[in-house]
Amino acid sequence: METSWDKGRIGAWIQTLTSGTVSVSFAVWIRDVDESGYFDDLDAVYEQGEQALADFLPEIEESPLAGHLIEAEPTEADMDEFIAVKKWTLDPRTLTAGVIQQDTDLPVMVVVALEEPGAA
C-alpha cells in the first residue's frame, strides 16, 4: 500500500510492503525529462543528481540525528537501484540517500528514505 503527496517540487511517499517494512521517502531534487521524453545528455543529468546529493548530504551529516547514525555499506541491491547512494543505520531503521531513476522515461531524483523493517 502506498500513500503519496507533492508540495511544490517535493514529493513524498509512505509505503508498506508485504513484508511489513514501512518506508517513508522524500524526493528532494527532481530533474524532469524534456518534451521528447528523453534526456539530451543522460550522463550530465546523472552528474547533476550526484552533485545535488553531495550538496544535500550535509543536511543529514550535520543534523542532530547524525550522532545516532552508523554509516552502512550499500548492498548489491542498492547499487543496482541507485546511481549513487549513501546509507546509515539507526537501529533498527535504515536511512538511505541516493540518486535514482526508476525507469528510462521517468525523472532522475535525489531521494531520502527511512525504512523500518517489518515484524520478524
Side-chain angles (χ1 to χ4, degrees), residues 2-44:
E2 180 176 307
T3 301
S4 63
W5 67 96
D6 292 302
K7 182 168 183 160
R9 299 275 303 159
I10 303 291
W13 305 267
I14 298 174
Q15 191 173 27
T16 304
L17 307 176
T18 56
S19 65
T21 299
V22 176
S23 177
V24 179
S25 304
F26 294 90
V28 297
W29 178 88
I30 300 172
R31 169 73 192 270
D32 292 321
V33 297
D34 63 20
E35 294 97 31
S36 70
Y38 297 97
F39 295 107
D40 292 330
D41 184 353
L42 192 55
D43 289 333

Side-chain angles (χ1 to χ4, degrees), residues 44-98:
V45 174
Y46 288 168
E47 288 175 19
Q48 289 176 8
E50 290 172 8
Q51 185 59 54
L53 175 63
D55 292 345
F56 185 78
L57 287 176
E59 298 288 333
I60 296 170
E61 295 169 336
E62 297 170 6
S63 73
L65 186 64
H68 303 282
L69 297 174
I70 299 169
E71 195 164 337
E73 283 293 316
T75 64
E76 192 170 315
D78 293 329
M79 300 309 287
D80 288 342
E81 183 178 0
F82 291 94
I83 298 160
V85 65
K86 190 146 184 190
K87 197 170 184 177
W88 303 265
T89 58
L90 181 65
D91 202 30
R93 297 167 295 263
T94 302
L95 179 64
T96 306

